[in-house]
Amino acid sequence: DVKVTQSSRYLVKRTGEKVFLECVQDMDHENMFWYRQDPGLGLRLIYFSYDVKMKEKGDIPEGYSVSREKKERFSLILESASTNQTSMYLCASSFERGSGYTFGSGTRLTVV
Amino acid sequence: GDSVTQMEGPVTLSEEAFLTINCTYTATGYPSLFWYVQYPGEGLQLLLKATKADDKGSNKGFEATYRKETTSFHLEKGSVQVSDSAVYFCALSVTGYSTLTFGKGTMLLVSP
């Protein structure tokens, strides 16, 4: 089975800090995604990537950036964390366009 | 644009009751349809999928049929268990695009 691993389950960071959320998949998937999940809002796409060094903005990219230097790793960066970025962050990967995703277990980030 | 609408929850049932969670969609192309499940504190897991009209996806006693004429993909289970308590997400993917569009999720609570 494909495994998507997010480096932290829980993180607490201070306002203004630069935060890195790491995601690694072990099945050579082309496509990787970052979502945030908030009560009442569902899943919202932040960024995605369909190849190394490629990135595309999703629906809510403001305040975030991403890095994909290697195929298996997709990092989400909060340039200057703010309290409204407190959320559950979910990473996912997929084999090809139009196929379903495999999700990681999520990182619950709290910004204080 | 593409969108997915799910019934709002929570859906509260007793063990062994019949479950239906409604899902309808709008899409510009010919989508693939998915149901994902999220257990408390976890990421999303693919439950079932269907890739063309009249296909039936099934897994762990859950079923959903891709109805093009009604643009629906309702999730059903004949007899729910306490362990089915989770949040269920309907999603679609249009051929040729890598991203999934998710509904907002429906919480299911099953009591003994």
Side-chain angles (χ1 to χ4, degrees):
Chain A
D1 281 351
V2 177
K3 193 167 184 180
V4 177
T5 302
Q6 294 183 233
S7 53
S8 304
R9 291 298 299 270
Y10 300 94
L11 273 180
V12 180
K13 297 292 182 181
R14 296 196 179 277
T15 301
E17 276 193 76
K18 190 169 187 176
V19 180
F20 293 85
L21 303 182
E22 305 289 345
C23 176
V24 177
Q25 50 95 2
D26 66 359
M27 203 61 184
D28 205 35
H29 280 182
E30 299 289 336
N31 307 304
M32 297 188 74
F33 311 85
W34 276 105
Y35 285 84
R36 64 178 283 177
Q37 182 180 17
D38 301 288
L41 298 177
L43 278 77
R44 293 181 290 169
L45 181 63
I46 305 171
Y47 268 97
F48 63 102
S49 167
Y50 50 84
D51 203 351
V52 176
K53 297 192 185 295
M54 303 294 290
K55 61 184 179 183
E56 297 283 344
K57 293 180 179 179
D59 301 318
I60 53 163
E62 297 78 18
Y64 303 94
S65 63
V66 290
S67 173
R68 195 165 181 202
E69 297 296 319
K70 294 184 178 181
K71 192 173 187 179
E72 67 271 18
R73 186 180 297 271
F74 192 38
S75 303
L76 179 70
I77 304 158
L78 286 65
E79 298 291 343
S80 177
S82 64
T83 55
N84 63 13
Q85 292 178 310
T86 292
S87 186
M88 170 73 102
Y89 289 87
L90 293 168
C91 176
S93 70
S94 71
F95 174 63
E96 61 186 357
R97 297 187 183 207
S99 66
Y101 293 173
T102 300
F103 280 88
S105 297
T107 296
R108 186 165 293 282
L109 173 67
T110 302
V111 182
V112 298
Chain B
D2 302 334
S3 67
V4 176
T5 302
Q6 294 180 233
M7 60 191 291
E8 289 198 24
V11 174
T12 304
L13 294 173
S14 298
E15 206 165 24
E16 299 184 2
F18 185 86
L19 168 71
T20 300
I21 299 177
N22 291 336
C23 171
T24 58
Y25 67 89
T26 58
T28 52
Y30 298 95
S32 296
L33 300 172
F34 306 84
W35 277 102
Y36 283 83
V37 58
Q38 185 180 33
Y39 299 103
E42 299 292 327
L44 279 70
Q45 302 173 24
L46 179 64
L47 182 59
L48 53 84
K49 67 178 183 181
T51 57
K52 61 183 188 297
D54 300 324
D55 270 2
K56 178 185 281 188
S58 61
N59 187 24
K60 298 180 182 178
F62 291 89
E63 292 184 339
T65 301
Y66 187 163
R67 301 285 188 200
K68 188 177 177 182
E69 63 277 11
T70 55
T71 62
S72 65
F73 192 55
H74 304 322
L75 182 68
E76 296 181 335
K77 187 176 186 184
S79 176
V80 293
Q81 305 300 311
V82 172
S83 58
D84 293 326
S85 297
V87 180
Y88 292 82
F89 291 88
C90 185
L92 69 82
S93 174
V94 177
T95 303
Y97 291 86
S98 60
T99 62
L100 291 182
T101 298
F102 288 89
K104 291 192 175 181
T106 302
M107 179 178 287
L108 171 65
L109 299 171
V110 181
S111 57

